[in-house]
Amino acid sequence: KKIILLLFSSLSLAFRHDYAQPSTKNCTEEWFMNLIDHFTPDYPPVHYKQRYFAYDHYWTIGNPIFFYAGHEHDVELYVNTMGLFWERAEKFGAMLIWAEHRFYGKSYPLGKNYTTQDLRYLSVEQTLADYVRLVSLIKEKRGSPDSAVISFGASYGGMLATWMRLKYSDVIDGAIASSAPVLSFQTKVPGFEPNFFAQGVTRCITQKGGVATDWCEANFRQAFAKGRLAEAGTTAQGRQALSEAFSLCEPLPDDPETGWDLVYWVETALSHMAQGNYPYTSSYFMNGRGEMPPYPIIKACDTFLADDLMATCNEDPTALCPALYEGIASFVGVYYNNSEKLACNDIYTHLEKESTSEHNMLWDYQCCTEIFQAFGQDGIRDVFWPAPWNATSEAIRCENKYAGILPDMDWGIASFGNPDHWKRTTSNIVWSNGELDPWAGAGVMTNLSDSLISIMIPQAAHHLDLMFSNKRDTHAVRWARNFEMAHVLRWIDERRKKIKNWTATTHAR
């Protein structure tokens, strides 16, 4: 049974956002000497400085610890944006911990000068062990061994939060995993759809995604699936038309393949706008460089692509169609030129300040070794050009790039099992997905048991439920947050009852 939304009736957990939004300025930045390798003994042990942020204003000994599993960015991004943590700290008397993922931000196990061979320490297993050891240190340091620990995470962080509960249930009492594509690489799970992301992005530009007409989808289908943009790049006249329509700072190079550079640039904007399709102005997917408007996909579709832009163009896909190019250019301008101050576009410069070659390489390495996510598209059930998922060719790419390293295609199931295994062996996880989030198709979409719960949040994009409350939030996401925290409250009570029973049994002996 697919869960659209589960409602929790208690309003006592609701939060009024009536003060300035907290950030890293309200926390203490701390460092922990963690092991570089948790699984191979070194004598003496070799450590590295791992960064984390802590907030304990409302916490006392015995109270819970909310642990955010940092993922593939500087952890400060999550301290400053994951507001559910902040907003419920007082109600629960919780200590808040945000841990930084090894190799990202400022947590470098081997400094900045590492080799491909050194990246063997960049693994999920090492990261989970980092986090569990950090939790143990904090409990010991604060003299609170009986505190319940709840892991939270969004996206890859939601995967980590899930895996912490699966692998270290003696340490983690429950997990809230938002927009966690934990099934994105488990292609052997029955019914898995490798084109999930492309189909999810496509849904956002249809009436099901809140767009006014079907023309937005139709226009993108012409641009991508029918090859209008790429085809235009094959001729000098077409490249000139594209350069003018997209107001490029430099004309497209004299190369028939450069049309694809523009295609990928447009696709990046579309996918980021789909993930960040929030009901309010947000800079989350901009990393601080500007802001996208509320529901950016809806605004861009309804403003620039709401009509048939092919009406004045030849149906032959090799024929030029300036009206289509200009409409698509205006659409992506909502993302790239959000300030409306750019005089021209440079398609070879990334917008996000963390889209560096190093950051991309680190994440690509993780995807080439363990998190071997399936991404395909067919141009039929999605608007993109046909590119079926091919695990073999992707594995060859990884092998060539990383000196013979091959993906472990069975790693996910071998390490953590599959949903059928989880429902027999695990408890206390809530997976949430947003109806507008392209990643939802690779998340847990059904309840596995009474304590392994899946919720689908209408009109919500990527991990909206973990973000700060906003007056433009829908009732659905407010209810979802309350529902999640009701489960957190139950898990904390369960922990306290266990401690009480253990204590009573010990004294009886």
Side-chain angles (χ1 to χ4, degrees), residues 185 368-372 406-412 414-415:
F185 49 88
C368 273
T369 50
E370 295 180 331
I371 308 175
F372 194 58
L406 284 168
D408 184 349
M409 298 187 190
D410 296 321
W411 168 82
S415 299

Side-chain angles (χ1 to χ4, degrees), residues 221-241:
R221 193 173 291 277
Q222 287 290 331
F224 286 156
K226 299 298 183 182
R228 291 274 182 169
L229 292 183
E231 185 64 32
T234 63
T235 67
Q237 185 181 9
R239 290 190 290 274
Q240 180 180 351

Side-chain angles (χ1 to χ4, degrees), residues 366 382 410 463 472:
Q366 288 193 260
D382 58 69
D410 296 321
H463 56 65
R472 294 180 63 97

